[in-house]
Amino acid sequence: MKTMTHRTATLVAAGALGLGGLAIAAPVLAGSPSGPGPVSSYGAVSSHGMVSGYGMGAGHSRVSGYGTGAGQGAGGCPGHTVIGEQGTLTAAQKTTLAAMAQEEKLARDLYAAFAARYDDLTFNHVAMAESQHLTMVRTLLQRYGSTDPTAGQPDGAFTDKSVQTTYDKLLAQGKRSEAAALSAARQVERDDIAALTAALTGLTAPDVSHVYTMLLAASQRHLAAFTR
């Protein structure tokens, strides 16, 4: 069972909706301290939509960093500001976009459940990143006039029966041990990488392509973070 108290800092970078562009405010993870001491983080969004900032922890900081995003804990993602022109989606691509929302919610809810159970901070950091990703996909669903299948659904609940079955199976697996939870997380990221790679094929909408490319890179980072 979980015995460690987690302390994380969140930096919110404010985006703006530009001319035909999509900007999404997203939290940035600061490095989590492994010892006592306050954590502070700073950042700003430039007129070009780039997010910059840094995080630092007083005391024994496990991770700190500079550059785009913030100092990252294990598996964390830089802050995301998404800008892109709206394009055209086929009916099949809109269905895929809705499925992406369910995949991001599954990852977020699963990692949050594991974070509450185990001391490994990676689950907490990646769960926060997945929350950013879900916000991006939901924004695109709204932009393209598509129904959000995750709207109003509590943690661990899904409208798609196959997604619900997958979540329940992975959650049960992860409850057996921390090693089993890491294995379940790796499976989620491998599935996401495959789905995003397929979704990018034939996609022409700049904003959706940009989001999928960012999510693909994030899933690759998360897979590496969960690999021990």
Side-chain angles (χ1 to χ4, degrees), residues 91-136:
Q93 288 169 338
K94 288 183 178 181
T95 298
T96 297
L97 183 60
M100 289 298 175
Q102 299 223 69
E103 290 182 13
E104 296 301 330
K105 183 179 185 300
L106 181 150
R108 183 199 66 181
D109 294 355
L110 188 68
Y111 301 158
F114 292 161
R117 191 175 185 88
Y118 301 115
D119 291 337
D120 192 333
L121 291 175
T122 306
F123 291 123
N124 185 55
H125 290 165
V126 180
M128 293 177 69
E130 298 295 355
S131 185
Q132 296 177 24
H133 303 165
L134 180 56
T135 297
M136 294 178 192

Side-chain angles (χ1 to χ4, degrees), residues 50 54 104 204:
M50 294 299 294
Y54 64 92
E104 296 301 330
T204 60

Side-chain angles (χ1 to χ4, degrees), residues 31-218:
S32 296
S34 58
V39 177
S40 60
S41 56
Y42 305 84
V45 180
S46 73
S47 60
H48 299 291
M50 294 299 294
V51 181
S52 61
Y54 64 92
M56 59 184 180
H60 303 291
S61 179
R62 178 174 295 182
V63 180
S64 63
Y66 293 83
T68 301
Q72 300 297 308
C77 288
H80 295 315
T81 300
V82 183
I83 298 177
E85 296 291 336
Q86 183 173 358
T88 301
L89 296 180
T90 65
Q93 288 169 338
K94 288 183 178 181
T95 298
T96 297
L97 183 60
M100 289 298 175
Q102 299 223 69
E103 290 182 13
E104 296 301 330
K105 183 179 185 300
L106 181 150
R108 183 199 66 181
D109 294 355
L110 188 68
Y111 301 158
F114 292 161
R117 191 175 185 88
Y118 301 115
D119 291 337
D120 192 333
L121 291 175
T122 306
F123 291 123
N124 185 55
H125 290 165
V126 180
M128 293 177 69
E130 298 295 355
S131 185
Q132 296 177 24
H133 303 165
L134 180 56
T135 297
M136 294 178 192
V137 176
R138 283 173 167 169
T139 301
L140 290 173
L141 285 170
Q142 182 178 20
R143 181 176 225 192
Y144 285 90
S146 298
T147 300
D148 179 5
T150 68
Q153 296 298 311
D155 291 351
F158 302 88
T159 56
D160 187 304
K161 291 183 179 179
S162 64
V163 176
Q164 186 69 62
T165 298
T166 299
Y167 175 85
D168 292 342
K169 178 181 178 180
L170 292 171
L171 181 63
Q173 173 186 331
K175 284 182 176 180
R176 292 199 293 267
S177 68
E178 185 171 324
L182 287 168
S183 178
R186 290 193 295 271
Q187 185 60 54
V188 170
E189 297 304 333
R190 284 193 292 265
D191 290 345
D192 282 355
I193 289 170
L196 287 162
T197 300
L200 281 164
T201 302
L203 184 63
T204 60
D207 49 355
V208 182
S209 295
H210 183 56
V211 169
Y212 284 1
T213 299
M214 292 176 69
L215 298 189
L216 178 58

